[in-house]
């Protein structure tokens, strides 16, 4: 069962922030400071995949405008940071909006 805990994360500029993370699996989450950059690689991968897909959508359905909103939940699995795309109210998800003019 997943549980939440607040841990410190060190940013690229050396600043430290506190983040609520979800524990996945049996290993307890320690309060050691982790490097946030390790979890942000997933953001780049998701954004690249979504952008590539939307380029194809733009060629076929030709919306006048579209936007993408996605959010991630930070989790700790086997002591390492990971990011999850989650759904539900109060949680992050993937939302794509397309608009066509009249």
């Amino acid at each position: 069962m997943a549980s939440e805990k607040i841990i410190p994360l060190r940013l690229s500029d050396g600043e430290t922030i506190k983040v609520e993370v979800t524990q996945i699996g049996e290993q307890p989450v320690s309060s050691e400071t982790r490097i946030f950059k390790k979890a942000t690689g997933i953001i780049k991968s998701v954004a690249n995949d979504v952008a590539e897909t939307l380029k194809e959508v733009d060629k076929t359905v030709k919306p006048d405008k579209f936007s993408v909103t996605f959010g991630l939940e930070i989790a700790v699995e086997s002591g390492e940071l990971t990011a999850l795309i989650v759904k539900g109210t109060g949680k992050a998800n993937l939302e794509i909006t397309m608009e066509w003019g009249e």
Side-chain angles (χ1 to χ4, degrees), residues 77-98:
E77 183 174 26
S78 300
E80 296 293 323
L81 289 178
T82 188
L84 310 169
I85 295 178
V86 294
K87 65 178 184 171
T89 57
K91 298 283 186 176
N93 60 9
L94 181 63
E95 178 182 313
I96 299 172
T97 304
M98 290 183 243

Side-chain angles (χ1 to χ4, degrees), residues 4-68:
E4 283 77 30
K5 183 171 182 170
I6 304 227
I7 64 167
L9 293 179
R10 182 162 293 118
L11 302 176
S12 297
D13 64 2
E15 292 291 322
T16 300
I17 61 172
K18 303 263 182 182
V19 175
E20 183 179 45
V21 298
T22 298
Q23 174 186 330
I24 299 175
E26 300 295 321
Q27 185 175 0
V29 176
S30 71
S31 294
E32 71 183 81
T33 301
R34 291 174 173 81
I35 311 245
F36 189 57
K37 187 83 170 170
K38 291 181 179 180
T40 59
I42 191 77
I43 296 169
K44 183 177 179 182
S45 294
V46 169
N48 283 335
D49 286 351
V50 169
E52 286 300 315
T53 300
L54 291 179
K55 284 179 190 176
E56 293 173 26
V57 168
D58 189 40
K59 291 176 186 174
T60 56
V61 298
K62 302 179 191 307
D64 294 325
K65 178 178 162 182
F66 55 84
S67 64
V68 177

